[in-house]
């Protein structure tokens, strides 16, 4: 008898009831995923992560209490959980703040259902995934950071 793969266990943390409902419906449509909890704010998201230890947490960047704080505390409570940030904002500073807080995925709200499900799956497997709409800004920031580091190293050697 072949072993069946375990489902990816997911927690949603978003303050918008319509968004929570849409995400829950989308996740329920994917047989490989199991929605194990829903939170409306940072405190509830952290409590769910402590209790349930999900594989992936979808975290609204601007929910009450803040997505960056939620991401840090979820990871403190459940280090194996992968954070996928969801936001209406794709500006560089917001994206980088979530990545610094531990997010391995970042999607702008309004991304297709296919892209969201694909991102959850990739992040659950340990891959990073950033929405195509914001990748250019993140790559530019990383490029600038690497250039500054190279210049500092060259100065140090001189």
């Amino acid at each position: 008898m072949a072993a069946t793969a375990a489902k990816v266990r997911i927690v949603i943390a978003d303050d918008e009831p319509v968004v929570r409902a849409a995400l829950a419906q989308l996740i329920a449509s994917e047989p490989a995923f199991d929605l194990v909890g829903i939170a409306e704010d940072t405190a509830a998201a952290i409590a769910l992560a402590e209790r349930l230890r999900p594989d992936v947490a979808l975290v609204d960047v601007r929910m009450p209490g803040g997505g960056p704080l939620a991401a840090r505390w979820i990871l403190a409570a459940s280090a194996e959980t992968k954070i996928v940030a969801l936001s209406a904002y794709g500006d560089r500073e917001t994206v980088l703040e979530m990545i610094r807080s531990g997010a391995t995925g970042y999607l702008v709200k309004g991304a297709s259902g296919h892209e969201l499900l694909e991102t959850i799956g990739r992040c659950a497997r340990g891959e990073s995934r950033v929405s195509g709409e914001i990748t250019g800004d993140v790559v530019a920031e990383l490029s600038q950071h690497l250039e500054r580091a190279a210049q500092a190293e060259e100065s140090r050697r001189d």
Side-chain angles (χ1 to χ4, degrees):
M1 182 155 99
T4 44
K7 289 186 174 190
V8 175
R9 301 172 66 251
I10 302 165
V11 164
I12 296 170
D14 197 300
D15 63 322
E16 305 253 350
V18 173
V19 173
R20 287 192 310 268
L23 290 171
Q25 184 176 15
L26 180 64
I27 290 166
S29 75
E30 175 53 57
F33 296 161
D34 184 19
L35 179 61
V36 296
I38 299 176
E40 298 177 4
D41 60 29
T42 296
I46 295 165
L48 282 175
E50 287 175 340
R51 192 173 86 246
L52 301 172
R53 308 247 189 256
D55 300 308
V56 176
L58 300 176
V59 176
D60 177 19
V61 173
R62 301 258 171 110
M63 71 178 162
L69 179 65
R72 288 190 298 275
W73 281 96
I74 288 169
L75 291 172
S78 178
E80 298 301 314
T81 298
K82 306 300 186 227
I83 306 293
V84 175
L86 295 173
S87 181
Y89 308 93
D91 62 281
R92 184 179 62 195
E93 198 51 45
T94 301
V95 174
L96 293 175
E97 182 178 17
M98 284 304 294
I99 290 171
R100 283 190 295 266
S101 297
T104 56
Y106 194 104
L107 288 173
V108 175
K109 289 181 179 177
S112 72
H114 174 76
E115 185 176 6
L116 179 66
L117 293 174
E118 183 179 292
T119 298
I120 292 170
R122 284 181 168 196
C123 288
R125 291 188 302 271
E127 301 172 24
S128 295
R129 172 84 168 140
V130 177
S131 177
E133 297 173 28
I134 56 179
T135 302
D137 284 343
V138 173
V139 170
E141 178 73 18
L142 178 58
S143 181
Q144 290 171 2
H145 174 74
L146 292 173
E147 179 63 29
R148 287 190 300 270
Q151 290 171 352
E153 177 61 22
E154 188 175 326
S155 293
R156 187 188 63 75
R157 280 194 307 253
D158 289 347

